[in-house]
C-alpha cells in the first residue's frame, strides 16, 4: 500500500489530474524533462473521442471550409459567380476540356458546376473575360489536376500571372475565392472555428 500514498501535495494534485483525464478516455503518460526538474504529462486521444468531448463541452472545433462549402473555395468573379461556370458557359475550349477531365477523373467541386449539357451563353449573356484571367484559371485547374488544394492552386496561379492593380481592385490578384473577396484579404481562411451545442 506504500505506492497508494502521495509523498507531497503536488504529487496528489498531479495524480488527481491524471485520474480525471483518464476517466474521460484520454491517454496520459508522464515523462521527465531532460534535466529531471519537471514532470510533463503527454495527453493524447483518438479523433472521434476528441470530437465527442468537444460536443459535450460546447468547445469550439475547427471545420475545413473546403469540405463545408467547396464552391466558396473556388475562384470567382467580382459578383461571386464561380469562374468555372462563367468560363465554361462562355465556350472557352481549354477551360471546358480541363473541367471535363476533372469531372470524369476527380471528385472536384469546380467540375460539379460544369455540365456538358448546359446551354451556352447567348451573346447578351457572355461576359468579357480577359485572356490573362482565363490563362490563370487554366493554370489553377491544371494545379488541381495535380492534386493541390484550392488555396495553393490559387496562390500558384496568381504568382504565375500577376494582375495589374487598377484592373483587380487593390488586391492585385487575378484569382480570388469567395472568402477572399468577402473579407477583403489576400489569403482567405481555410479553417473556421465553430462551437458545438
Amino acid at each position: 500500500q506504500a505506492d497508494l500514498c502521495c509523498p507531497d501535495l503536488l504529487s496528489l494534485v498531479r495524480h488527481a489530474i491524471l485520474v480525471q483525464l483518464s476517466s474521460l478516455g484520454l491517454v496520459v503518460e508522464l515523462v521527465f524533462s531532460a534535466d529531471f526538474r519537471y514532470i510533463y504529462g503527454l495527453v493524447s486521444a483518438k479523433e472521434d473521442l476528441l470530437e465527442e468531448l468537444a460536443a459535450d463541452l460546447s468547445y469550439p472545433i475547427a471545420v475545413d471550409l473546403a469540405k463545408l462549402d467547396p464552391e466558396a473555395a473556388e475562384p470567382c468573379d467580382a459578383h461571386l459567380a464561380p469562374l468555372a461556370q462563367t468560363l465554361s458557359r462562355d465556350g472557352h475550349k481549354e477551360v471546358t476540356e480541363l473541367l471535363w477531365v476533372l469531372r470524369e477523373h476527380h471528385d472536384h467541386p469546380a467540375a460539379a458546376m460544369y455540365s456538358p449539357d448546359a446551354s451556352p451563353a447567348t451573346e447578351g449573356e457572355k461576359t468579357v473575360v480577359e485572356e490573362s484571367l482565363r490563362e490563370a484559371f487554366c493554370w489553377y485547374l491544371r494545379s488541381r489536376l495535380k492534386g493541390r488544394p484550392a488555396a495553393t492552386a490559387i496562390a500558384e496561379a496568381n504568382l504565375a500571372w500577376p494582375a495589374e492593380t487598377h484592373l483587380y481592385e487593390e488586391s492585385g490578384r487575378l484569382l480570388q475565392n469567395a472568402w477572399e473577396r468577402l473579407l477583403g484579404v489576400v489569403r482567405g481562411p481555410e479553417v473556421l472555428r465553430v462551437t458545438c451545442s
Side-chain angles (χ1 to χ4, degrees):
Q1 286 201 6
D3 45 326
L4 293 178
C5 298
C6 290
D8 55 33
L9 180 64
L10 289 178
S11 297
L12 177 64
V13 170
R14 183 174 59 248
H15 287 298
I17 292 172
L18 292 176
V19 168
Q20 215 31 35
L21 292 173
S22 296
S23 70
L24 292 172
L26 300 171
V27 178
V28 182
E29 186 176 332
L30 295 178
V31 294
F32 286 102
S33 63
D35 60 1
F36 295 101
R37 291 181 57 206
Y38 302 101
I39 300 173
Y40 296 109
L42 303 177
V43 181
S44 65
K46 293 183 179 175
E47 188 174 344
D48 56 338
L49 177 67
L50 288 177
E51 289 175 358
E52 184 181 319
L53 284 172
D56 290 344
L57 300 173
S58 296
Y59 190 78
I61 57 173
V63 176
D64 184 358
L65 288 175
K67 291 181 181 174
L68 181 68
D69 187 7
E71 288 183 12
E74 296 296 317
C76 63
D77 63 15
H79 304 289
L80 302 179
L83 285 178
Q85 197 172 28
T86 303
L87 294 174
S88 65
R89 284 194 70 221
D90 285 353
H92 292 282
K93 185 177 180 184
E94 186 178 9
V95 171
T96 304
E97 289 172 359
L98 286 168
L99 287 170
W100 184 83
V101 171
L102 281 170
R103 184 174 186 211
E104 293 299 313
H105 304 290
H106 301 282
D107 184 22
H108 189 271
M113 293 178 255
Y114 165 68
S115 171
D117 304 327
S119 59
T122 63
E123 285 302 317
E125 293 176 325
K126 282 196 176 187
T127 55
V128 177
V129 177
E130 293 170 16
E131 188 67 18
S132 58
L133 179 60
R134 187 192 58 75
E135 289 176 7
F137 187 68
C138 287
W139 181 287
Y140 164 81
L141 291 175
R142 286 190 290 275
S143 292
R144 292 305 303 262
L145 275 170
K146 294 175 188 173
R148 291 185 177 87
T152 303
I154 287 174
E156 288 176 355
N158 284 328
L159 284 174
W161 273 274
E164 296 179 27
T165 307
H166 69 280
L167 292 176
Y168 299 96
E169 301 106 21
E170 58 277 353
S171 72
R173 301 177 72 226
L174 274 171
L175 299 181
Q176 294 181 357
N177 66 27
W179 293 108
E180 293 164 346
R181 288 192 183 278
L182 288 171
L183 298 174
V185 295
V186 172
R187 185 153 179 164
E190 294 178 38
V191 175
L192 180 68
R193 292 178 62 86
V194 295
T195 302
C196 297
S197 56

